[in-house]
Amino acid sequence: MSVEINNIAILTSGGDAPGMNAAIRAVTRTALYHGKKVFGVYRGYEGMIEDDLLELSTAHVKNILAQGGTFLKSARSKEFRTHDGRAKAAANLKKRNIDALVVIGGDGSFTGALKLADEHNIRVIGVPGTIDNDLFGTDYTIGYDTATNTVIESVDKIRDTASSHNRLFLVEVMGRDTGYIAASTGLATGALGIILPEQKITFDDLFRDLRNAQANKKTSNIIMVAEGNHLGDVFDISLAIKKEFPSIDVKVTTLGHTQRGGSPSTNDRVLASVLGYYAIKGLMNGEEKVMVGMINQKVVYIPLSEAISKTTNLDEEMLTIAKILAT
Ligand code: ATP
């Protein structure tokens, strides 16, 4: 079914992720190619409420493919969580005859998009942009590959100093609710342990792994710690280890916002370009209230309601492999 859409708005929302610019570029140029007008909304829903929109030409998106962050800026908007806020935002779209909105972000941004669609009859489509890789309906989210590359680059450097001084490093990475970054980078760096929000490991489990490492004469070790893990704050974990193993020199490194920055990887540029292109194709073919994702190398449209309510379980096998290979 083909649908008449003339004016399309685009925004980035929630946490920024490398590749968001590449997605904006793809959406903008695909829409312009098909004769549509494109309006960039600055600062996510905040800018939509404040009427901070700019009509984009192809020149506005030149030289952004390789840049991290998002040139449209991102924000978290409290007001958009209210009916009144969304009504203001919708009015600003309607006065420009904008009939469709592309939202690049994570599950919170999609929840807001769905409400806007239901309450104000605006066609919305989501593009998964978050370093956390925590959205149902796509194998990978835009930004995840770059973030994990950034993490392993840092951990490889940490490993050099860990082995020179026989130290144990706890490396905290992002992941409040999900541990994809910690799990994949733990496997990729040969970490002795991976501590995740999804697993209820105990200090006894952790201490057992450390004793095994000592028995195997491993003198330097890395443990990947996701922010939202069940053992607690990474510094408290380090204190508990020091108390149990006074002879181990324990250090903590928090990678923090370095994980969000940097030029997007090839995988993220390709994913963002393909998903941005298919977001516009989808809208033109009548898709709405869906997220465009990629599963097994195929483009899919998943209802936003499912993308935000379902979860993809972390591959337990990956954790088993990491454990066996690190011993
Ligand atoms: P990330 O995964 O990187 O954190 P996100 O899209 O989940 O990205 P959020 O901060 O959760 O980031 O959401 C971004 C914005 O979406 C919020 O600031 C708010 O404006 C809007 N939003 C989130 N949840 C809702 C909701 N329940 N109702 C309306 N709007 C919402």
Side-chain angles (χ1 to χ4, degrees):
M1 178 185 72
S2 123
V3 169
E4 179 75 18
I5 288 174
N6 296 308
N7 300 325
I8 300 169
I10 177 170
L11 59 79
T12 46
S13 167
D16 63 311
M20 280 183 161
N21 273 327
I24 297 169
R25 171 180 175 270
V27 166
T28 304
R29 291 204 168 152
T30 307
L32 292 173
Y33 175 82
H34 288 287
K36 317 294 176 196
K37 278 190 176 176
V38 184
F39 294 85
V41 183
Y42 285 103
R43 295 174 294 117
Y45 295 125
E46 198 70 16
M48 200 190 283
I49 291 170
E50 292 173 12
D51 204 20
D52 195 4
L53 281 75
L54 173 75
E55 188 176 342
L56 299 177
S57 69
T58 193
H60 283 108
V61 294
K62 73 175 181 202
N63 293 333
I64 64 169
L65 177 61
Q67 284 174 18
T70 156
F71 94 96
L72 287 176
K73 318 253 182 222
S74 188
R76 302 194 198 262
S77 167
K78 273 202 187 133
E79 199 179 348
F80 194 78
R81 291 174 182 269
T82 66
H83 273 100
D84 284 357
R86 291 192 293 276
K88 269 193 224 167
N92 287 331
L93 297 189
K94 290 196 170 159
K95 75 182 184 193
R96 292 180 177 83
N97 295 322
I98 290 171
D99 22 43
L101 170 69
V102 179
V103 173
I104 305 169
D107 55 353
S109 304
F110 293 167
T111 306
L114 201 48
K115 288 188 179 173
L116 188 76
D118 288 339
E119 292 165 5
H120 299 284
N121 204 22
I122 289 164
R123 306 182 79 88
V124 298
I125 191 159
V127 177
T130 165
I131 63 167
D132 295 330
N133 204 32
D134 59 350
L135 282 166
F136 178 84
T138 189
D139 287 339
Y140 297 105
T141 56
I142 297 164
Y144 171 70
D145 187 64
T146 309
T148 52
N149 286 340
T150 302
V151 170
I152 65 166
E153 215 176 280
S154 301
V155 173
D156 287 347
K157 288 177 180 152
I158 290 168
R159 171 79 72 183
D160 290 343
T161 168
S163 43
S164 303
H165 291 274
N166 292 346
R167 280 176 178 149
L168 166 66
F169 271 85
L170 302 183
V171 182
E172 189 198 69
V173 293
M174 285 189 171
R176 287 216 170 84
D177 306 308
T178 52
Y180 289 97
I181 295 180
S184 60
T185 59
L187 175 58
T189 58
L192 172 72
I194 303 171
I195 309 180
L196 305 169
E198 290 91 338
Q199 283 187 317
K200 293 216 159 66
I201 77 153
T202 63
F203 276 107
D204 284 342
D205 297 328
L206 179 61
F207 295 160
R208 192 194 49 235
D209 289 346
L210 286 167
R211 276 191 199 96
N212 284 343
Q214 285 183 323
N216 289 338
K217 305 258 178 297
K218 288 193 77 167
T219 50
S220 71
N221 285 301
I222 305 283
I223 295 181
M224 302 302 297
V225 182
E227 282 172 314
N229 77 86
H230 289 283
L231 286 184
D233 179 78
V234 67
F235 289 96
D236 292 340
I237 299 175
S238 89
L239 289 178
I241 295 174
K242 274 182 196 157
K243 199 164 164 215
E244 184 74 12
F245 299 90
S247 64
I248 299 184
D249 186 8
V250 192
K251 300 281 180 213
V252 172
T253 300
T254 303
L255 296 183
H257 286 80
T258 56
Q259 294 162 86
R260 287 199 182 282
S263 179
S265 66
T266 307
N267 284 343
D268 275 332
R269 293 184 202 192
V270 171
L271 183 66
S273 301
V274 171
L275 296 187
Y277 171 86
Y278 278 102
I280 295 302
K281 295 292 273 187
L283 281 173
M284 287 166 53
N285 289 331
E287 297 284 355
E288 60 174 326
K289 296 189 207 177
V290 294
M291 179 193 86
V292 57
M294 183 88 88
I295 296 180
N296 291 335
Q297 305 288 336
K298 289 218 159 42
V299 172
V300 291
Y301 296 98
I302 301 281
L304 281 177
S305 55
E306 285 184 32
I308 57 188
S309 62
K310 294 189 177 173
T311 48
T312 320
N313 290 332
L314 222 145
D315 184 359
E316 295 279 333
E317 202 69 14
M318 190 156 82
L319 300 176
T320 308
I321 296 169
K323 205 167 196 70
I324 291 171
L325 300 189
T327 45

